[in-house]
Amino acid sequence: MLDVKQLCKDYSGLQAVQGVSFQLHPGDVFGFIGSNGAGKTTTIRMLATLLEPTSGTATLNGADIQRDPMEVRRQIGYMPDFFGLYDDLKVWEYLDFFAGIYRVPPRERPQVIDNVLELTDLTVKRQAYVQTLSRGMQQRLCLARCLVHDPAMLLLDEPASGLDPRARAELKELIAELGRMGKIVIVSSHILPELADFCNTVGIIERGELLAWGPVDTIIRQIQAHRSIMIRMLERGPEAAEFVSRLPSVLAVTPRGSHEIQIEYAGDLEGQAEILATLVRDGYRVTDFREEQADLEDVFLRLTTGAVQ
Amino acid sequence: MSIVAGWLLRNKEAYLTNASTARDFRSQLRGNRPLLLWGTYLFILIGFGTLFYAVTSSEGTMSVASLQRELQGFYNTIMNMLGLMVVVVAPALTATTIVSERQKRSLDLIFSAPVSTKYYLVGKMISSYRYTWMLLVLSLPVTSVCVVLGGATWTDVLTGYANLSFIGIILTSIALALSTVAIKPVSAIVWSYFATFFVVMFTWTMASFLSFASMRSGRELPFLVSLSPFNQLNAAGAYTQIGWVQIPNFVLAGLTALLVSRIMLLGASSVLSPFGALDTKSLRVHGLVYMFVVAVGVGSALGSGSTHILYTWITFPLIAIVPIITCFGWDLEKKFWPDGWFSIRAAIVGTPAGGLPYLLGLLAGAFLGSNLGVGLATMDVFPDLHLQLCYLTWALGLWAFIWAIGRGCSSLYNGVKTARTLQAVFFLVFLTVPSAAVSMIVAFTSQPGLVDPTPLWYLMPLYPLGLPLAEGAPGALAWGLLMLLAALYIGRKAEHRARNPKPRGRK
Ligand SMILES: Nc1ncnc2c1ncn2[C@@H]1O[C@H](COP(=O)(O)OP(=O)(O)O)[C@@H](O)[C@H]1O
Ligand SMILES: [Mg+2]
């Protein structure tokens, strides 16, 4: 598991990362969300042992990023927010180079390369030169490079930026697959919907501070102390609004036209069921009764001030 | 046992199965370009040989002696061409390697893998050096013609090749070190050729100067001659007498190449490593040891009567490193943050507080080493010690003063780079430029005193030839103390400013 404790980084007076802490377990796909300049890259580079933290620590399966960087490096695959590709190589040579760098025994290399090419769907491009690949393919090749040594953790810095929707969808599928393979995956992005559907954990960073982190639904509930319920009926909308507002634990009622009302509710699920039962008992013909899910976007907007450093 | 095995494995990985080397090899040998290059290269060499053959054979009758001389001349020309090839090709191949990876930002990919800087640098060094070496080997057919025709012996040719290979190693390692420092490929190339020019000029001057100076018995020559790329005819078969042993010069040249490339790789590694890395510590210790060894060598070569100028002059090249070790500033990696003005531990860790103690260590190494060298050569231990101490004070004062200037500049500006440049410029104005004037005065004055060098007296300890030793000593002492005082004053001010920095912009 990854255990990050009070990680800080100062850039000559500017605190780029201030006391970031979180824990992740195998299989966690962690969406690291923040606007530009929030400190995502800095945090990820510290976890990749490329930057010395000013203070704080992080350990990956017991190995400390500062005291035992080589052990950490053996267990991670880092994909920066740029490609860093070598143009003068063929795809398999590029992967062979990194397999060599990661000390994969020469005998196993062809098999490993086949596997990662298969996983990233690049098998047909095996003999192509790196510079002839499309952007999406280059991005997948970068990911393939991170996988040659079967790392326990992947650090992907803005992997989806600059990809067309199709390539983006493919990449998401691939990342989700890596999570299912039991790896810890950290994916950063400044675009929220990009992460919403395949992360099971999120962290929201703003001006170097991690404002909230945890499982997606927990975070949403944390932010949203009371539920928002939408009720639609065949008729008597305003009348129903009047009626519901007198029920316990209902904080506010907003009529939406003549057929629909929205209520803010602070009670538990029992009470929620009771509201529906009461309405039906009193002869309101309810067609729809549902809790509105606040999505990550709402959470993000509520948490952050939108300020950029 | 397992320690030895681990060491062997690491070295095998770095030197024999280096992934970096394999990758570079693939792109170096790709397509028709290398064939074309090598073809052209061989064509030039062979064409030159044929031309020469045609010219000599058309002369018709020719005495055996003059033919011999002609052939030797031919061999010499070929060797000089090879020397030129090494000098041109080695830096060109190496200088861009690391800086271009930095520009491509592929260094991050490599150093997020379990790769030590040593592994990476050795790989880069091998891949660019191997190319130079291939070009050398390719020329063997041409030089072997010389042997067959009688212009040279196989021993000449092989030692010549060995020496050229060593020069190649030295130039490659220097270019590699500069490549880690440079920000743009162009500047890396320019600086590498600049350094190459300096090395070639140095060995060449030494070669011509020393081979005249030591017209002793047989083929005894200072080994530096072997490291001049344009002097292989003279260098062949030469040896150096140490005690009762005659050591072939190419052995010493090889040793020198090894030592130079080692310290260059350590330097490069230290640049790429983060704060407090082991490589930096190793580099610092190596620096002290090398200073001592070089001082012993120069001391034993030049003998007594000049000890004090030995260490004043030996320390001169220090200006290449002084800006790096003395200036401070708020960089990203914490490597050069101000951490006090004097700390012995920092001298090895490599932070600015270690600048002054490290300089003192280097001076002590030069002083002790040169005296040991002189002692070995003449059996005279610490000759004229009281005079020497005067000159030592001058050297101390000078470097402390330069140190203080660097600290002062650092405290005035936030950027450590600006401070370094200012310090180097100051050195140039304060020492190098007036030095030229003083050496002119000394050289053109048959009678000391004819031209008054008073305004430049602080430089006189470097040129005691124009002044009797004992006469120069008080001046050296006085100037040394004066500069020390100035250094203390400026150093204190700078330290005060560094401890109480003005609020620095942003946030
Ligand atoms: N090398 C650097 N020197 C100085 N400041 C930097 C450096 N790199 C990043 N920063 C600053 O640190 C903050 C965080 O940057 P970064 O981690 O790249 O943000 P993100 O990846 O979330 O966009 C920014 O304010 C940025 O200006
Ligand atoms: Mg970023």
Side-chain angles (χ1 to χ4, degrees):
Chain A
M1 69 170 269
L2 174 74
D3 187 3
V4 181
K5 280 193 199 127
Q6 291 297 324
L7 215 51
C8 294
K9 179 73 188 176
D10 281 10
Y11 283 124
S12 50
L14 175 104
Q15 291 191 308
V17 173
Q18 320 180 24
V20 166
S21 307
F22 57 88
Q23 289 94 39
L24 297 175
H25 298 275
D28 282 355
V29 178
F30 180 69
F32 198 29
I33 307 158
S35 42
N36 283 324
K40 304 180 296 289
T41 300
T42 308
T43 310
I44 289 181
R45 281 173 57 84
M46 283 192 283
L47 295 179
T49 74
L50 290 167
L51 262 186
E52 294 267 309
T54 310
S55 66
T57 60
T59 51
L60 176 63
N61 297 328
D64 188 294
I65 53 167
Q66 271 177 299
R67 260 173 290 148
D68 201 358
M70 284 298 170
E71 183 50 41
V72 173
R73 290 177 187 187
R74 264 188 276 279
Q75 300 188 37
I76 59 167
Y78 165 58
M79 189 160 107
D81 50 0
F82 49 85
F83 287 150
L85 290 168
Y86 297 102
D87 292 343
D88 48 2
L89 290 182
K90 293 179 178 171
V91 166
W92 76 269
E93 289 171 338
Y94 182 73
L95 293 174
D96 186 63
F97 168 56
F98 280 98
I101 285 275
Y102 280 101
R103 313 287 208 281
V104 176
R107 258 175 289 109
E108 294 168 22
R109 280 182 213 166
Q111 186 61 49
V112 164
I113 292 174
D114 282 349
N115 290 349
V116 295
L117 284 175
E118 176 81 43
L119 187 67
T120 51
D121 203 13
L122 285 171
T123 311
V124 288
K125 291 291 176 183
R126 202 187 157 89
Q127 293 293 342
Y129 279 98
V130 169
Q131 81 243 33
T132 63
L133 299 184
S134 71
R135 204 180 156 88
M137 288 175 182
Q138 289 189 342
Q139 191 69 291
R140 291 210 301 275
L141 178 60
C142 288
L143 193 55
R145 168 186 70 71
C146 299
L147 294 170
V148 289
H149 58 301
D150 193 21
M153 176 168 83
L154 282 163
L155 300 166
L156 312 178
D157 198 355
E158 311 238 354
S161 68
L163 296 187
D164 61 46
R166 185 180 179 77
R168 200 171 288 194
E170 283 167 0
L171 190 74
K172 278 181 194 173
E173 183 42 45
L174 189 53
I175 292 173
E177 173 65 28
L178 292 171
R180 286 194 290 274
M181 287 164 72
K183 299 184 188 309
I184 300 174
V185 187
I186 297 184
V187 194
S188 82
S189 179
H190 62 280
I191 305 167
L192 206 93
E194 232 172 58
L195 299 177
D197 33 349
F198 66 96
C199 293
N200 51 24
T201 317
V202 286
I204 295 171
I205 188 170
E206 178 71 15
R207 295 191 185 214
E209 275 178 283
L210 195 62
L211 299 178
W213 75 274
V216 176
D217 36 355
T218 318
I219 291 288
I220 291 173
R221 209 163 305 133
Q222 220 175 39
I223 300 309
Q224 201 189 10
H226 42 86
R227 272 181 279 266
S228 166
I229 299 170
M230 214 275 302
I231 308 170
R232 181 193 277 273
M233 55 217 77
L234 282 181
E235 69 279 301
R236 298 203 287 153
E239 210 176 310
E242 177 68 23
F243 175 72
V244 170
S245 63
R246 288 197 297 271
L247 295 175
S249 295
V250 173
L251 302 178
V253 179
T254 335
R256 292 266 167 85
S258 54
H259 300 293
E260 212 175 296
I261 56 174
Q262 189 181 6
I263 60 178
E264 297 290 312
Y265 179 65
D268 54 6
L269 286 174
E270 296 274 320
Q272 195 173 321
E274 192 55 39
I275 294 179
L276 179 59
T278 318
L279 277 171
V280 174
R281 224 183 295 127
D282 276 41
Y284 293 98
R285 294 197 288 167
V286 178
T287 57
D288 193 4
F289 183 94
R290 76 187 132 91
E291 183 183 332
E292 295 231 289
Q293 282 288 331
D295 58 6
L296 276 174
E297 191 104 23
D298 291 341
V299 175
F300 184 65
L301 289 176
R302 275 197 213 188
L303 273 178
T304 62
T305 52
V308 179
Q309 282 179 342
Chain B
M1 195 57 219
S2 70
I3 296 177
V4 176
W7 182 82
L8 279 177
L9 181 68
R10 272 198 306 281
N11 276 293
K12 179 182 158 251
E13 278 175 347
Y15 290 96
L16 297 180
T17 56
N18 198 303
S20 222
T21 315
R23 195 220 44 221
D24 289 344
F25 205 43
R26 280 200 178 111
S27 47
Q28 274 171 2
L29 298 187
R30 173 108 55 218
N32 300 326
R33 212 185 38 173
L35 274 182
L36 205 71
L37 277 177
W38 292 342
T40 319
Y41 167 70
L42 268 186
F43 184 78
I44 292 173
L45 275 183
I46 292 173
F48 183 79
T50 323
L51 197 71
F52 171 83
Y53 186 73
V55 169
T56 39
S57 57
S58 68
E59 297 242 323
T61 53
M62 191 186 250
S63 72
V64 175
S66 67
L67 182 67
Q68 186 72 28
R69 223 177 314 115
E70 287 278 320
L71 280 172
Q72 221 176 40
F74 173 60
Y75 170 70
N76 196 23
T77 319
I78 290 285
M79 280 324 250
N80 283 348
M81 278 172 72
L82 289 181
L84 186 68
M85 187 275 292
V86 169
V87 163
V88 171
V89 170
L93 282 178
T94 324
T96 54
T97 49
I98 290 174
V99 69
S100 66
E101 289 229 12
R102 177 179 289 153
Q103 274 207 329
K104 243 184 289 176
R105 306 222 271 164
S106 46
L107 277 181
D108 270 3
L109 307 190
I110 288 164
F111 289 121
S112 67
V115 169
S116 65
T117 42
K118 178 191 162 182
Y119 176 92
Y120 174 69
L121 287 171
V122 166
K124 280 288 166 204
M125 169 111 190
I126 292 177
S127 48
S128 43
Y129 178 63
R130 185 172 45 193
Y131 206 88
T132 313
W133 208 72
M134 265 186 311
L135 290 178
L136 266 184
V137 171
L138 273 181
S139 70
L140 255 176
V142 183
T143 34
S144 57
V145 169
C146 298
V147 180
V148 175
L149 294 181
T153 65
W154 275 117
T155 334
D156 290 351
V157 172
L158 291 183
T159 47
Y161 272 76
N163 287 337
L164 288 179
S165 313
F166 298 145
I167 295 164
I169 291 184
I170 292 177
L171 297 181
T172 303
S173 66
I174 292 176
L176 192 70
L178 289 172
S179 184
T180 56
V181 189
I183 293 163
K184 278 183 280 179
V186 178
S187 60
I189 291 183
V190 170
W191 279 107
S192 295
Y193 276 117
F194 199 69
T196 302
F197 176 77
F198 182 79
V199 170
V200 171
M201 282 315 281
F202 176 74
T203 50
W204 197 55
T205 325
M206 282 307 227
S208 38
F209 171 69
L210 291 175
S211 39
F212 271 120
S214 57
M215 283 292 190
R216 282 180 242 170
S217 56
R219 305 278 308 135
E220 189 181 347
L221 275 179
F223 73 91
L224 274 179
V225 176
S226 301
L227 286 176
S228 166
F230 305 121
N231 215 343
Q232 290 309 318
L233 191 66
N234 279 337
Y239 61 84
T240 302
Q241 186 104 29
I242 295 181
W244 291 274
V245 222
Q246 292 180 350
I247 301 179
N249 276 349
F250 72 88
V251 174
L252 294 174
L255 210 64
T256 311
L258 212 69
L259 294 179
V260 171
S261 59
R262 187 174 168 79
I263 201 147
M264 286 299 152
L265 280 179
L266 273 176
S269 182
S270 170
V271 174
L272 292 180
S273 301
F275 165 79
L278 205 62
D279 287 327
T280 310
K281 294 176 189 161
S282 176
L283 175 70
R284 289 296 179 108
V285 175
H286 273 77
L288 287 176
V289 174
Y290 279 27
M291 175 55 103
F292 184 76
V293 171
V294 168
V296 171
V298 180
S300 65
L302 293 190
S304 68
S306 49
T307 355
H308 44 285
I309 56 157
L310 283 187
Y311 54 79
T312 47
W313 271 110
I314 289 173
T315 62
F316 231 60
L318 282 188
I319 191 55
I321 59 161
V322 161
I324 298 169
I325 68 176
T326 60
C327 292
F328 58 82
W330 284 267
D331 64 316
L332 295 183
E333 294 295 326
K334 231 161 124 182
K335 275 183 175 176
F336 304 107
W337 286 15
D339 58 342
W341 69 279
F342 193 96
S343 151
I344 306 242
R345 212 180 70 84
I348 299 301
V349 177
T351 46
L356 188 58
Y358 193 71
L359 274 177
L360 295 184
L362 286 172
L363 284 180
F367 173 66
L368 296 175
S370 55
N371 274 292
L372 179 68
V374 172
L376 285 177
T378 63
M379 293 299 143
D380 189 3
V381 185
F382 289 110
D384 299 323
L385 187 59
H386 59 288
L387 292 185
Q388 279 202 54
L389 287 179
C390 295
Y391 287 91
L392 184 63
T393 312
W394 179 84
L396 281 181
L398 173 75
W399 286 110
F401 186 53
I402 301 292
W403 165 82
I405 294 291
R407 308 272 304 175
C409 295
S410 303
S411 72
L412 290 179
Y413 301 93
N414 284 333
V416 62
K417 283 202 177 124
T418 319
R420 285 178 184 159
T421 313
L422 285 176
Q423 191 190 27
V425 167
F426 179 82
F427 182 85
L428 209 69
V429 173
F430 184 66
L431 235 78
T432 316
V433 175
S435 272
V438 174
S439 54
M440 297 260 270
I441 294 169
V442 171
F444 292 109
T445 323
S446 45
Q447 269 179 306
L450 203 66
V451 181
D452 183 16
T454 318
L456 299 173
W457 253 36
Y458 65 92
L459 284 173
M460 285 315 274
L462 286 172
Y463 304 92
L465 302 172
L467 209 63
L469 286 187
E471 227 172 276
L477 183 66
W479 273 106
L481 291 175
L482 202 67
M483 286 191 289
L484 261 179
L485 279 180
L488 280 183
Y489 178 74
I490 300 172
R492 245 180 67 101
K493 281 252 146 157
E495 184 60 20
H496 181 75
R497 287 185 63 111
R499 290 206 179 179
N500 312 293
K502 283 182 300 190
R504 275 171 294 116
R506 292 193 275 178
K507 207 158 187 185

